[in-house]
Amino acid sequence: MIDLNEGKAAFLNDFERQEAFLSRFGSKGLHDLRRSALSRFEELGFPSPSEEEWRFTPLGPLTKIPFQLSPNGISQRESEVAERLQPMGIAPPDAVLLLNGRCARPLNSAGLPENACVQPLLLALSEKQEFVERHLGRYASFETHPFTALNTAFIGDGAFVYIPKNTTVTKPIFLVYWSQSSGEPTVTHPRTLIVAEESSQATIVEVFLGRPNDVYLTNAVAEVVCGPNASIDYYKIQDESKEAFHVHTLQVQQSRDSTFSSHAFAFGSVLARNEINSVLDDEGCSCTLNGLYFASGHQLIDNHTRIEHARPHCSSHELYKGILDGHGHGVFNGRIHVHPNAQKTDAKQTNMTLLLSDDAVIHSQPQLEIFADDVKCTHGATIGQLDADALFYLRTRGIGKEEARSLLTYAFANDIIQRVRVDLVRRQLEALFLHRHQPTGGRTT
Amino acid sequence: MLTIFNLHAKVEDKPILNGVSLKVKAGEVHAIMGPNGSGKSTLAGVLAGRDIYEVTEGDVLYNGKNLLEMEPEERAREGVFLAFQYPVEIPGVSNTYFLKAALNAIRKHRGEPELDAMEFLELVREKMKLLRMDEELLKRPVNEGFSGGEKKRNEIFQMAVLEPKLAILDETDSGLDIDALKIVADGVNSLRDPNRAMLVITHYQRLLNFIVPDKVHVLAGGRIVKSGGKELALKLEKEGYGWIENGHQ
Ligand SMILES: Nc1ncnc2c1ncn2[C@@H]1O[C@H](COP(=O)(O)OP(=O)(O)OP(=O)(O)O)[C@@H](O)[C@H]1O
Ligand SMILES: [Mg+2]
């Protein structure tokens, strides 16, 4: 029997070293939560491939690398980060910027409506402890999830966003997480809490980046609380180092008549596990999950989504598209759970995959669990290759083979990109697809 | 300009072209007629470089070069253009983006500077007038949701923008009503040029009233079984293909 948990000890040691520091932030209650999360992690250990939820996502290397926190963050020349952010129209002062898990500086809050708040989580835990703790850790359960348990044990820095009742924040809110390892593999457990009160509106963009080719683990959890009639447009752009590991859980709690949309883009990391759990907890909720990912080389990108239709008259729309090249692996597992009283649910799920090489593999599993009878639920999955007729057509007009392939790849991805309402982010995604994600066919890079 | 000699081609081991020979000079328009399934589109596809067809024998010379050795995009850049019998829909790629990429690839090959967005738009507007196309079609994805007639018009519009030397029109007239046919034919005629040759594949003599060919060929059973002047088309229209000896093998 292979011991999958060799790397566990490193995390436990980390906790011991950090505990005194962490305990300074938040109440005793919060620290008890950290401790019980840690012991839960110790009990669970890392998931093995024999567990259904992790069947297609072997963690092997992740569990063997002794990742370590870099206790004081890093002193990073911001220019390297700024350069990567610039095409998206993000200037570091306008974002909550975390370098190796520590907030480098608070955001310039000019332009934010009064009473709205965007700040590093550590600061929020000092200034608004009671309010923050009313929500923090209440939604993302760690009972069965070792990574969420680990993240919860290390609740410290991250980002806190608060949009008060009836408030609209027009400018997108950028939360940026940058990692690098400088030799020794590092780990961060960033935690994000977003609380949107009744009838508020905001756009939130989480960006995960790292120094190219560095080895590190990002183990992030974000909790989003949508108050009644609130509307949150959430974006996640994951462009980590190609050697990095990325585990992310987005936990969404929706109240009556709230609207939540997620647009998740994943290109980076050697292994990524993205989970979205959305609980439609009252009538009239609408939830949209759009996803686009690109895996080439030996990348594995795993998307697990769970939509809990707990109450009647809610709708959910989900469209995930994957592009797989080289030896890229994709996993899509989409569960829609319609509870017995959730009549008039309208749920639609679509998963489309474009395979650019013979060695690419996709595991696509829709899971519809419907316990109400008056509902409309559909799902569909397609797996295809570039259309040979279209390719030939483009070439007969003088467009070279490689350009034609990338144009068709872009065309496949385009409808997801066009749903991005943050102009510069959308343009950057267009450019990424037209120029960087050139298909390599059977070749791996 | 174009010399096809004893061309044999097969698809999935099924022989389709069985020795086609044909010479087209610059400035000429040749019509190719023939029964369904006789290999007309196959011939067009082989000339454009479609890889599902395997050439087993014969040669094709285009302006002195071995056409069969060139990639489809090289042929296009050298001036070969195929108007498809069934134009392909490409969701997600706008007509404008597509055509600009095509034109600039060809211009680059010719050593001409690439056009910027403004210059391109100006050119395209002028050509749209020629084919009386709605500018709105430019913003739409390539051929997606176009009616049959709009697709065919879009093919000739592309030809007008790309200005090929050898244009192969595969049933560009099929499915067009008489107004659309006139517009397309006018477009084609305006592109007739002493330096440009055209191969016009059609089932209907009607088109040849508008686009008057220099020569008419009948393709049957994978080879050219009869060639003549424009009056041959009239005779075919009246009498069908049955009278031609060795029509079907
Ligand atoms: N991809 C293919 N696979 C199998 N058979 C094919 C393929 N393409 C063409 N054929 C066959 O080759 C023969 C010639 O087809 P082609 O399309 O060249 O005819 P055509 O003369 O253009 O006919 P039409 O007038 O109907 O357009 C037909 O019997 C057709 O079924
Ligand atoms: Mg045909």
Side-chain angles (χ1 to χ4, degrees):
Chain A
M1 185 90 186
I2 307 161
D3 181 9
L4 277 167
N5 294 317
E6 289 164 37
K8 218 167 95 173
F11 292 111
L12 301 178
N13 289 339
D14 260 351
F15 187 80
E16 234 166 72
R17 274 197 303 268
Q18 283 282 304
E19 187 171 7
F21 172 76
L22 291 173
S23 66
R24 290 184 0 225
F25 300 94
S27 66
K28 179 170 179 304
L30 179 65
H31 198 63
D32 289 344
L33 183 74
R34 289 190 189 105
R35 294 193 65 104
S36 54
L38 188 80
S39 43
R40 190 64 189 143
F41 167 71
E42 226 180 322
E43 287 159 22
L44 290 168
F46 288 110
S48 82
S50 62
E51 289 173 45
E52 185 58 30
E53 289 291 286
W54 294 85
R55 236 174 90 199
F56 302 110
T57 308
L59 289 172
L62 186 158
T63 61
K64 293 192 175 63
I65 298 171
F67 293 104
Q68 294 214 337
L69 288 170
S70 62
N72 303 310
I74 36 166
S75 52
Q76 163 70 13
R77 280 172 298 110
E78 256 179 38
S79 57
E80 192 178 346
V81 185
E83 234 169 71
R84 291 277 294 279
L85 293 174
Q86 191 267 334
M88 278 179 277
I90 310 172
D94 295 333
V96 172
L97 173 61
L98 282 100
L99 303 176
N100 272 16
R102 284 282 171 271
C103 186
R105 58 152 109 179
L107 139 147
N108 167 11
S109 55
L112 274 183
E114 225 181 316
N115 298 329
C117 172
V118 179
Q119 58 181 192
L121 187 60
L122 273 191
L123 195 59
L125 275 172
S126 312
E127 291 182 4
K128 312 176 179 61
Q129 180 194 314
E130 203 192 326
F131 181 84
V132 170
E133 289 189 15
R134 217 179 294 155
H135 296 287
L136 189 63
R138 304 282 158 188
Y139 311 101
S141 160
F142 56 76
E143 268 318 295
T144 59
H145 203 297
F147 288 98
T148 301
L150 202 50
N151 177 286
T152 306
F154 284 93
I155 283 182
D157 220 345
F160 171 68
V161 176
Y162 166 65
I163 320 290
K165 187 172 170 180
N166 294 331
T167 302
T168 296
V169 180
T170 44
K171 275 196 355 191
I173 295 166
F174 294 105
L175 313 175
V176 178
Y177 308 86
W178 171 277
S179 291
Q180 62 187 64
S181 65
S182 346
E184 298 302 314
T186 52
V187 59
T188 60
H189 306 279
R191 184 82 174 205
T192 305
L193 174 64
I194 297 164
V195 180
E197 284 186 343
E198 184 181 326
S199 299
S200 65
Q201 283 187 45
T203 300
I204 288 148
V205 185
E206 285 202 287
V207 184
F208 293 87
L209 299 172
R211 184 181 279 168
N213 306 319
D214 277 10
V215 179
Y216 59 84
L217 164 65
T218 304
N219 176 34
V221 173
E223 291 173 292
V224 179
V225 189
C226 293
N229 200 40
S231 172
I232 292 293
D233 210 13
Y234 170 90
Y235 297 84
K236 179 186 160 193
I237 295 164
Q238 190 269 91
D239 196 11
E240 306 261 32
S241 146
K242 284 281 189 284
E243 303 292 328
F245 299 83
H246 178 93
V247 181
H248 183 272
T249 293
L250 172 67
Q251 182 74 39
V252 185
Q253 190 72 19
Q254 292 193 241
S255 320
R256 197 180 180 94
D257 300 322
S258 63
T259 303
F260 175 81
S261 337
S262 155
H263 311 255
F265 297 88
F267 316 116
S269 77
V270 64
L271 184 151
R273 164 78 165 212
N274 308 305
E275 298 193 14
I276 301 182
N277 306 310
S278 193
V279 183
L280 283 54
D281 211 15
D282 207 339
E283 298 188 12
C285 294
S286 137
C287 174
T288 302
L289 304 182
N290 294 321
L292 177 64
Y293 64 95
F294 189 109
S296 61
H298 285 87
Q299 285 178 282
L300 186 161
I301 297 183
D302 173 341
N303 291 294
H304 267 64
T305 65
R306 305 273 173 270
I307 300 175
E308 295 290 336
H309 277 274
R311 305 295 300 273
H313 295 287
C314 293
S315 66
S316 64
H317 288 89
E318 179 170 18
L319 173 60
Y320 264 72
K321 288 192 173 186
I323 301 165
L324 302 174
D325 201 356
H327 287 80
H329 265 62
V331 178
F332 174 80
N333 184 298
R335 192 166 92 191
I336 296 175
H337 181 191
V338 181
H339 295 225
N341 65 337
Q343 302 297 1
K344 306 288 179 192
T345 288
D346 180 358
K348 184 174 182 204
Q349 180 190 86
T350 311
N351 175 228
M352 299 168 83
T353 309
L354 175 62
L355 298 177
L356 295 176
S357 87
D358 296 337
D359 299 318
V361 179
I362 173 73
H363 300 282
S364 177
Q365 297 175 293
Q367 271 178 277
L368 268 54
E369 296 166 359
I370 301 169
F371 299 101
D373 49 19
D374 186 12
V375 299
K376 202 167 91 189
C377 291
T378 62
H379 73 88
T382 63
I383 299 170
Q385 288 155 338
L386 289 180
D387 178 359
D389 291 332
L391 208 53
F392 178 62
Y393 190 76
L394 293 173
R395 295 176 74 192
T396 63
R397 299 311 186 240
I399 298 172
K401 188 177 177 183
E402 289 312 309
E403 194 186 345
R405 284 174 65 89
S406 74
L407 190 53
L408 292 177
T409 305
Y410 167 78
F412 172 79
N414 198 20
D415 60 340
I416 304 266
I417 296 174
Q418 293 312 317
R419 292 173 193 202
V420 173
R421 283 175 285 232
V422 184
D423 289 345
L424 280 165
V425 171
R426 187 182 58 251
R427 260 177 254 155
Q428 169 68 356
L429 288 166
E430 286 172 349
L432 268 177
F433 266 85
L434 277 172
H435 301 120
R436 197 175 78 177
H437 297 294
Q438 309 256 342
T440 59
R443 284 171 285 135
T444 54
T445 45
Chain B
M1 175 171 288
L2 179 72
T3 307
I4 303 173
F5 176 72
N6 191 31
L7 186 65
H8 288 66
K10 60 181 188 182
V11 58
E12 289 167 2
D13 287 330
K14 178 179 157 196
I16 297 177
L17 299 182
N18 302 306
V20 174
S21 296
L22 184 67
K23 256 194 169 124
V24 185
K25 292 203 192 88
E28 289 182 348
V29 172
H30 289 220
I32 297 182
M33 306 183 78
N36 290 124
S38 58
K40 302 182 298 294
S41 294
T42 303
L43 176 62
V46 168
L47 294 178
R50 181 92 222 230
D51 63 4
I52 56 170
Y53 305 117
E54 191 194 334
V55 174
T56 50
E57 215 183 315
D59 293 301
V60 180
L61 279 181
Y62 168 69
N63 286 333
K65 290 184 187 147
N66 183 347
L67 189 72
L68 299 178
E69 274 184 354
M70 296 156 76
E71 295 291 326
E73 57 268 34
E74 289 177 62
R75 302 180 196 205
R77 291 169 192 172
E78 288 284 332
V80 177
F81 180 89
L82 169 62
F84 282 60
Q85 180 174 3
Y86 304 111
V88 182
E89 298 192 9
I90 310 184
V93 179
S94 80
N95 240 334
T96 315
Y97 189 94
F98 156 67
L99 202 51
K100 186 159 171 263
L103 180 64
N104 280 334
I106 291 171
R107 288 180 65 94
K108 202 169 154 193
H109 180 77
R110 290 184 194 144
E112 295 165 3
E114 296 188 11
L115 295 186
D116 66 25
M118 288 305 294
E119 295 165 323
F120 175 73
L121 204 64
E122 209 172 301
L123 172 80
V124 150
R125 288 217 168 105
E126 175 198 321
K127 305 290 185 186
M128 292 199 96
K129 261 188 235 145
L130 189 70
L131 286 145
R132 288 184 236 168
M133 271 178 52
D134 191 344
E135 210 168 299
E136 190 259 337
L137 288 183
L138 270 183
K139 296 186 196 117
R140 300 223 321 241
V142 180
N143 291 323
E144 194 189 36
F146 286 27
S147 70
E150 282 170 340
K151 283 182 184 166
K152 297 297 176 82
R153 240 192 273 186
N154 196 27
E155 293 292 285
I156 301 306
F157 164 64
Q158 290 172 28
M159 171 179 158
V161 172
L162 301 178
E163 302 187 316
K165 295 194 191 101
L166 172 66
I168 304 155
L169 312 185
D170 192 356
E171 298 202 22
T172 301
D173 57 323
S174 296
L176 293 184
D177 62 32
I178 191 72
D179 293 333
L181 180 72
K182 273 188 76 171
I183 293 168
V184 165
D186 285 349
V188 172
N189 281 330
S190 73
L191 293 166
R192 281 182 88 150
D193 184 293
N195 297 315
R196 184 173 286 141
M198 296 191 197
L199 269 181
V200 179
I201 296 169
T202 182
H203 282 289
Y204 307 106
Q205 195 274 331
R206 183 182 70 164
L207 174 74
L208 305 179
N209 288 335
F210 295 102
I211 305 173
V212 181
D214 299 295
K215 288 211 172 102
V216 176
H217 309 277
V218 178
L219 188 72
R223 65 171 63 129
I224 290 180
V225 291
K226 186 97 189 153
S227 296
K230 57 177 187 267
E231 63 293 337
L232 178 58
L234 281 168
K235 189 169 162 72
L236 291 169
E237 170 102 331
K238 245 185 265 153
E239 301 176 25
Y241 295 107
W243 59 277
I244 300 171
E245 263 182 298
N246 299 327
H248 302 269
Q249 304 198 326

